[in-house]
Each structure stands twice: as C-alpha cells, then as structure tokens.
Amino acid sequence: MNLSRTSPGMNDAPGLLYAGFNQDYGCFAIGLDTGFRVYNCHPLINQAKNESEDGGIGLVEMLYRTNYLALVGGGRNPRYPPNKVIIYDSIKAKPVLELEYKSEVKNVKLRKDRLTVVLQNKVFVYHFSLPPQLLHTFETCDNEKGLAAVSTSANHAILIIPGRQKGQLQIIDLNSLGYYISVGESDHTNNYIGSPQLPPLLTSDSSNSANSLTHNNSNGSANSSSTRRSINVSIIPAHTGKLSCLSLNQEGSRCATTSDKGTLIRVYNTATGSLLHELRRGVDRAEIYAIAFNQESTRLCVSSDKGTIHIFNLDPSVVTHMDHKPRGPTYGEVVSYPTQSPTNYGLTTTGNRGSALSFMKDLLPKYFSSEWSFANAKIPTESRCLVAFGEQKNSIIAICADGTCYKYYFDPRKGGECTRESFERFLKD
C-alpha cells in the first residue's frame, strides 16, 4: 500500500510512506521518511531496519524472507531518485544493483526468477540475475497506482497488469518469456559498474560494486526488433471503469479485480479468462486498498476506506452442511443447500449472503443476484489498511496506516462479526 497513492487519513502515522506484505504474508515491510523496517507477523517482531537522515523510502518489496529487497525513494527527501529501483542486501547493508528509468517507478514485484518494474504506462520484466536480462516490455493504460500482481508458484508463473484500455486486465505467462537473441537496436542501453560476469543474484557474493542499468522507455517494446518465441498473454475486459486493485492466488490460477467504483470484486480463472465469482462489497462507492486469497484459494478478504474488512467464501466445500431453515441476507449460521431452488433464498451455493429475492434473479436487476460477504471485521479508527489471511487457521491480519496491527478470528460456520484477538502498535510516535 503506497500511502502517497491513496487518499490520506487523519490518523496516519507521521513519516509512514509505504506498507506491504511479503509473498507468503508471513512478514511485512514499511517505508519511512527515514528509511525502512521489516517485521515478522507471528509474533509481531521488528526483524530488520535501516533508518538514518539519508532520506525516505517510498516502496519496499520483499523477496520472501531473504535478505534482498527492492527499494524506491520517496517522501519529501527521497534517499534514492524516484526513477530508480535499488536491489538492496540487508545483511551487507548496501545496494547490489540499480535500475534507472526516465520516469517515476510506480511499483516493483519480485519472484525468485523474475523482476518486474511498473511505470506509468510500461511494465518491464527481467530475468532476476546479476546483471538482469530484460525479457519483455508491456504497455498499459495510465497506471498511477502501479497495479500489478505476481504468483509465487514455481510452475505457474503468472503476472497480471492493467491492459491498454480502461478496465482491461492483461494475464501474462512469465514462463513464456524466454531468452531472445537481439538482431538490432533495442530501446534500452546497459551501463554496468564493475564486472558484468556475476553469478546469479540469489547465490552470489554481493560484495562487488553496485551494478547500474539505464533504460530509455520513451518508445515501444524493448524487444520489437528481437527474435523470440511466442508470448502467452490474455486480455480480459474485467470492468467498465478503471481498475483500482488487483490480486493473484499463490498458484496463479485465480485473480481478483475491482474498479474505481469499489462495489464489486470479480474473480477470474487465469487460464480460461472465465468469470468465476462476482462479489459485492457494498452499494456505496469505495476505495479498495487490498484483496487477498487464503492459501487454499477458498476464501477472499477485502479492505476499503469504509473501515471494514469483508471475507467471502469462494468454494462450497468450506461451508458446513447443516439442516437449517432458509434465512434472509443477515449475518448468522452459514448453510449450503445441495440444489438451487426457490426455498434456499438468503444464501448462495458458496455460503455467502444473498438477497432474499435471489430466486427471482432472472426477473429483477442484477443487484438481487449479488453475493455478499459472509464475515466482516471493523477497524476502529477506519484507517487505511492492508489485509491478509494469517498463519493461524481462520485468522486475518490488518496492517494499518496509523501504525497499528490487528488480528481477527472468524467463525467458519457462523460467519458474522469477527472476534478481535490482538492489537499492537508497530510504529510508535
């Protein structure tokens, strides 16, 4: 959550510029106007920090629990130029690689084998090594928030980014971005400091001088004059409005999207592009801050500027089958019925709340066939927050812009209001 790209809150912690989970949601990092910190989630422990008067860090992307981080300068006094990506070794407390562009870096995503850099209208994908090898450049519509998500699966490497048109989603198979042989001039130039013959980044001794890589991104694809194999890219017209938040499950088989309206969350199959679920957060316009799948991809949690976290069921197998009378769209016992009939109104087949008039969905507006969350949690201060499922079963964690961390438990059978398990302040005044 880049706090400079979402609406500020009155309770925001001074000096907090960025917050983001690592790939397995076991850790999170924050960017400050004095540097950065890394915390363990279970329990909440400050594991690493680098703070000084050298300037602010506006983006911190972790690589699982390794000592490598991607940093971008930010705040009133950026430590690094906002158009540079710094790959930083937290053990040696020094940069090992710099990538420079002609415009501001909006986001960075890391996998063990891929490095993705997001600009306003371009996305660069590299093989993650020293030196990095550019695999492809993708064009997008205006992407001020730097929307992008990458799967963590080694066998199913998927990247999702906005398309060239408003509301479109690009689904990219990263394993199809093979190496290519250049047969002409490309639109980027390399300028390395030190030896370019370094071993792969994740196994190298990073005691060498930092490497720098400068890109001219003023034109089209960096590989328009290169020979390569076919790239697997799918385009989905996800929303009519501008995309506002993206998420992938760990396997890369499911993706979730919202628009700037913030009322609907749509879940797609990344292999076929088919719509699997359309979930309703509410009826009022909202700014979505985060979407996260659980590890099994059977549930989804969403946070917004309404100060409420919503939890949705995605798989009927997680719903407890009980003999219970049908009910209307209120929180309570979650029930799944084996068949859809006019008597099972009030619940969808996945156990989410539905309209009591859903049995007339073919005759009524689409609103009456919506799926509503089966559980929710309230952030007392209504601060901007990131949310994810915790390591403990049936738990969620919220990292808030006011410097606080909440843990909630939800009842997988009853749903309804979550129980607050703990509250801690990770960033004190």
Side-chain angles (χ1 to χ4, degrees), residues 289-347:
Y289 297 137
I291 309 173
F293 290 87
N294 67 348
Q295 187 174 3
E296 298 80 17
S297 302
T298 56
R299 290 191 170 101
L300 192 75
C301 57
V302 179
S303 62
S304 72
D305 63 353
K306 302 301 182 181
T308 304
I309 299 169
H310 294 274
I311 303 174
F312 298 88
N313 287 322
L314 302 178
D315 189 334
S317 66
V318 302
V319 181
T320 302
H321 293 263
M322 297 179 63
D323 183 17
H324 198 277
K325 293 181 180 180
R327 58 179 173 80
T330 58
Y331 288 117
E333 189 76 11
V334 176
V335 185
S336 178
Y337 294 86
T339 60
Q340 289 185 332
S341 69
T343 61
N344 72 344
Y345 59 85
L347 282 170

Side-chain angles (χ1 to χ4, degrees), residues 144-268:
E144 181 62 30
K145 289 186 176 182
L147 300 179
V150 180
S151 66
T152 59
S153 170
N155 299 324
H156 200 201
I158 297 295
L159 166 69
I160 58 173
I161 55 176
R164 296 187 182 186
Q165 303 296 325
K166 181 180 67 174
Q168 286 186 347
L169 180 72
Q170 295 188 69
I171 302 176
I172 301 160
D173 181 0
L174 293 177
N175 288 333
S176 69
L177 305 182
Y179 296 110
Y180 64 91
I181 302 174
S182 177
V183 294
E185 294 291 333
S186 65
D187 72 349
H188 71 281
T189 57
N190 297 347
N191 180 22
Y192 295 102
I193 300 174
S195 171
Q197 303 300 323
L198 293 176
L201 176 64
L202 300 180
T203 60
S204 66
D205 180 356
S206 304
S207 60
N208 298 280
S209 300
N211 293 269
S212 65
L213 178 62
T214 303
H215 292 280
N216 179 344
N217 51 43
S218 59
N219 298 316
S221 170
N223 17 326
S224 57
S225 58
S226 305
T227 300
R228 61 170 69 249
R229 62 185 180 185
S230 176
I231 297 174
N232 187 0
V233 180
S234 301
I235 306 295
I236 294 178
H239 298 268
T240 56
K242 188 176 182 180
L243 298 179
S244 66
C245 195
L246 306 176
S247 180
L248 269 170
N249 65 349
Q250 293 186 3
E251 293 299 319
S253 60
R254 302 288 185 268
C255 67
T257 65
T258 61
S259 72
D260 54 3
K261 190 175 181 181
T263 55
L264 294 175
I265 303 100
R266 290 183 173 134
V267 181
Y268 293 92

Side-chain angles (χ1 to χ4, degrees), residues 42 44 49 60 67 106-107 110 170 179 210 258 276 297 395:
H42 315 284
L44 185 62
K49 66 178 181 178
V60 187
N67 52 305
K106 302 296 184 181
N107 203 354
L110 296 180
Q170 295 188 69
Y179 296 110
T258 61
L276 301 177
S297 302
S395 69

